[in-house]
Amino acid sequence: MEKWEERAYHYCKEHLRSKGFPVSGLHLDPELVCRGIIVDTEQGNLLKADRFGYVRRGMHGTKQLSDEKIRAEYSQEAVDLRDSRWVFLNTMFSVSEGCLYAQLVDRLDSGALLADAQPPFDAVRCSSYSQLYQAVSKALYKAHVASRLKDEVMQDPLSFVHLDPATCEALLDQRDAGKKLALVTNSDWVYTQKVMSSIYNPFLPAGMDWTNLFDLVVVSACKPEFFTTDRRPVYELATEDGYLRQHFRFEEGKIFAGGNARMLQKCFQVTGEEILYVGDHIFSDVNMAKKGLRWRTCLIMQELEKEVEGLSLGLEKQNAIRQLFSVRNQHAAVLNRLRNDLTKRLNGRDGAGNSASPPRSAEDSRKDIETLQGTVEALNDELDQLLREEGGHVNKYWGYMSRAGFADTSHLMRQIQKYADIYTSRVSNFLPYTPYALFSSPRHALAHDMDYSQIFVKSTSYGAENSTASSRGAS
């Protein structure tokens, strides 16, 4: 995928150059954007939000926003993806788009975009951050759909993919277990045939073609419309070079173009949760299959392997942060108690009868409070530094893809948890589970969850020496 993004960036940039944009000297920085980043098209910012939509990290163009700047701009609002102001970069193909947009925001801010532009550049239509995003988005669409990028892939498919021979074995296991397999792709037949034969056929049993893996192949599917409409024409592949003839339904063992999801259900005589749909696009794949048809869904996230490895390598720092939070909270609890006691004393509610120790003077309390405030502030500064650095070994700008802040999940993970029943980095990860495995969700933790063995229940039935009892012993 790295080469795909680099070439997509190249063609996107060249399309903008043809429109007069000053793009010379720009190069792809794959760390500048990662999946799950949100574009604020009004402000020219790239943002990382938590599951509630609150912004945790941000960049204006290619410059990181300070915590103070983020609070000033976003403390009173949350990201709402239903608003066209926000654009969710939720696929692997978003890297080139977000990177080029951020770089051009810098040039718009400096004045170079307008000063160095050449005809036929239209300054009236490219003078704001939102207009600039529309131009970049359109250029990326041209790069993916109407440029020579797909021709490059067809000439050398193996340089654009990460081969995984175990995928064939996983699919063969599913077939042998009696599962029905279908391939549904937006690509046309010629492109699909070239790519699939290159990456699958070398790892299949002798004499077997990749098409034999699937009971049904659907090309030119036009997802997400494939999932939402009941009225799309369907054509059967008539010749190897892609000649099509009109048809009226899907049939097992054949290859079709067009059609819709309900035709697939009827062909296999299944509905809803009987189908597991595996895809790598949150919206075009898992969201639409889940929302409209109630299919079970599996999201493929190639970056997940790097993320899991990064979380493992960052475990020592995570533990250090947890320990520092604990120390800070202990000091803050004492500080809060001292402040509360002093306030009550100054208001004639010193509560002396509730304490076995002699009351401290107000002056001594103020000194203790001042000392503890300094300690807590120092701990907060140390925590802030550690939190800014956390996940930097995965991505120096954004940290962990799945996290936003230390204790919360990212907005990306909220979308995944909402629409994907399961997610994994590659299809071959199903191999060790066998086709007969039942995947179930773990119990979700809640804020009030606790170790109930540590709860002590007050009892009025016993003497003072037995005034508490562990919940393990209570009946």
Side-chain angles (χ1 to χ4, degrees):
M1 296 308 295
E2 292 84 357
K3 184 174 180 179
W4 174 281
E5 280 299 339
E6 189 277 326
R7 299 308 293 161
Y9 178 90
H10 167 77
Y11 284 116
C12 183
K13 188 172 72 170
E14 291 308 304
H15 178 80
L16 291 172
R17 192 194 304 276
S18 72
K19 300 299 182 182
F21 282 75
V23 294
S24 297
L26 298 180
H27 303 282
L28 176 66
D29 180 356
E31 283 215 325
L32 197 59
V33 178
C34 65
R35 195 199 296 235
I37 297 306
I38 296 165
V39 180
D40 180 352
T41 59
E42 288 187 4
Q43 300 296 327
N45 295 337
L46 303 180
L47 307 172
K48 186 176 187 181
D50 63 20
R51 59 184 166 137
F52 300 108
Y54 297 118
V55 176
R56 296 302 190 93
R57 295 193 187 195
M59 301 180 72
H60 179 73
T62 65
K63 302 174 183 64
Q64 287 188 283
L65 296 175
S66 66
D67 293 341
E68 292 74 17
K69 184 70 173 176
I70 290 174
R71 281 193 290 269
E73 290 196 24
Y74 298 108
S75 63
Q76 300 301 312
E77 62 182 330
V79 171
D80 184 350
L81 298 178
R82 293 171 295 183
D83 187 338
S84 60
R85 169 184 176 178
W86 316 101
V87 177
F88 193 29
L89 304 181
N90 59 10
T91 73
M92 287 285 287
F93 305 126
S94 301
V95 173
S96 52
E97 177 182 9
C99 179
L100 191 52
Y101 176 67
Q103 293 167 338
L104 289 177
V105 165
D106 287 350
R107 295 197 171 184
L108 179 62
D109 288 343
S110 69
L113 183 71
L114 301 182
D116 299 338
Q118 301 293 324
F121 182 81
D122 186 350
V124 175
R125 299 177 63 182
C126 293
S127 57
S128 69
Y129 297 128
S130 58
Q131 290 173 332
L132 183 60
Y133 176 77
Q134 291 301 321
V136 172
S137 181
K138 183 178 180 179
L140 184 71
Y141 174 80
K142 295 286 187 181
H144 280 175
V145 177
S147 76
R148 297 189 303 274
L149 179 55
K150 282 195 172 183
D151 293 334
E152 283 193 37
V153 177
M154 291 181 66
Q155 290 171 12
D156 186 14
L158 298 184
S159 67
F160 285 88
V161 299
H162 297 295
L163 284 179
D164 184 9
T167 298
C168 290
E169 187 178 352
L171 295 177
L172 287 168
D173 276 3
Q174 297 290 330
R175 280 190 61 85
D176 291 345
K179 309 291 185 181
K180 299 286 188 179
L181 301 181
L183 173 70
V184 181
T185 175
N186 283 354
S187 299
D188 61 59
W189 165 248
V190 175
Y191 180 85
T192 302
Q193 163 67 358
K194 178 64 177 179
V195 173
M196 293 293 287
S197 60
S198 298
I199 63 179
Y200 278 76
N201 284 0
F203 309 109
L204 291 172
M208 187 177 187
D209 185 70
W210 71 268
T211 55
N212 302 134
L213 278 172
F214 301 97
D215 299 279
L216 177 67
V217 174
V218 181
V219 299
S220 303
C222 292
K223 296 176 290 182
E225 286 83 0
F226 180 83
F227 299 107
T228 59
T229 181
D230 293 335
R231 289 184 170 275
R232 289 191 67 246
V234 58
Y235 301 91
E236 181 186 357
L237 183 73
T239 63
E240 187 66 21
D241 59 358
Y243 177 77
L244 302 173
R245 57 170 169 250
Q246 191 171 9
H247 209 68
F248 303 98
R249 61 181 179 275
F250 290 155
E251 296 176 12
E252 288 191 36
K254 295 183 178 181
I255 300 168
F256 295 92
N260 59 67
R262 299 197 185 279
M263 287 183 180
L264 185 149
Q265 291 182 157
K266 189 172 182 179
C267 176
F268 289 156
Q269 297 184 345
V270 292
T271 58
E273 62 181 18
E274 295 177 283
I275 299 174
L276 175 64
Y277 182 83
V278 182
D280 63 359
H281 195 297
I282 294 177
F283 177 73
S284 294
D285 287 329
V286 299
N287 177 7
M288 302 308 294
K290 168 69 70 177
K291 186 166 62 175
L293 299 162
R294 308 310 298 170
W295 289 4
R296 296 296 191 182
T297 53
C298 172
L299 180 69
I300 300 297
M301 299 175 61
Q302 292 185 8
E303 317 97 308
L304 191 59
E305 293 177 8
K306 180 182 178 182
E307 179 82 355
V308 171
E309 181 184 12
L311 287 165
S312 177
L313 293 174
L315 191 59
E316 184 176 343
K317 178 165 284 189
Q318 295 166 37
N319 290 334
I321 292 174
R322 286 191 185 92
Q323 185 175 2
L324 199 57
F325 264 121
S326 178
V327 173
R328 192 280 308 271
N329 291 342
Q330 290 173 25
H331 281 77
V334 176
L335 171 62
N336 295 338
R337 174 56 61 187
L338 287 175
R339 293 178 64 187
N340 192 54
D341 288 347
L342 177 60
T343 300
K344 289 197 294 185
R345 184 179 300 119
L346 294 176
N347 285 280
R349 299 172 52 243
D350 58 19
N354 297 328
S355 174
S357 353
R360 295 172 60 77
S361 68
E363 185 61 29
D364 287 342
S365 293
R366 289 192 180 94
K367 289 180 180 179
D368 291 343
I369 289 171
E370 185 177 346
T371 300
L372 273 171
Q373 281 178 327
T375 301
V376 171
E377 289 172 5
L379 289 168
N380 280 333
D381 291 341
E382 189 176 352
L383 270 172
D384 288 343
Q385 182 62 30
L386 286 175
L387 291 172
R388 278 193 295 269
E389 296 171 353
E390 193 200 15
H393 57 290
V394 175
N395 185 293
K396 63 183 178 181
Y397 300 111
W398 305 107
Y400 298 118
M401 174 184 65
S402 58
R403 293 283 172 186
F406 178 70
D408 213 341
T409 56
S410 64
H411 208 65
L412 171 69
M413 292 309 300
R414 176 185 180 275
Q415 297 293 312
I416 292 171
Q417 290 173 325
K418 183 175 182 180
Y419 294 115
D421 292 298
I422 53 178
Y423 59 93
T424 186
S425 62
R426 57 181 70 200
V427 171
S428 60
N429 288 340
F430 284 102
L431 260 178
Y433 296 97
T434 80
Y436 308 100
L438 174 65
F439 296 96
S440 57
S441 174
R443 180 182 176 92
H444 285 197
L446 298 172
H448 64 269
D449 286 342
M450 60 187 73
D451 182 356
Y452 291 96
S453 67
Q454 301 302 314
I455 299 176
F456 288 85
V457 183
K458 289 288 184 179
S459 172
T460 57
S461 311
Y462 300 91
E465 68 277 12
N466 292 319
S467 61
T468 61
S470 168
S471 63
R472 281 183 176 173
S475 58

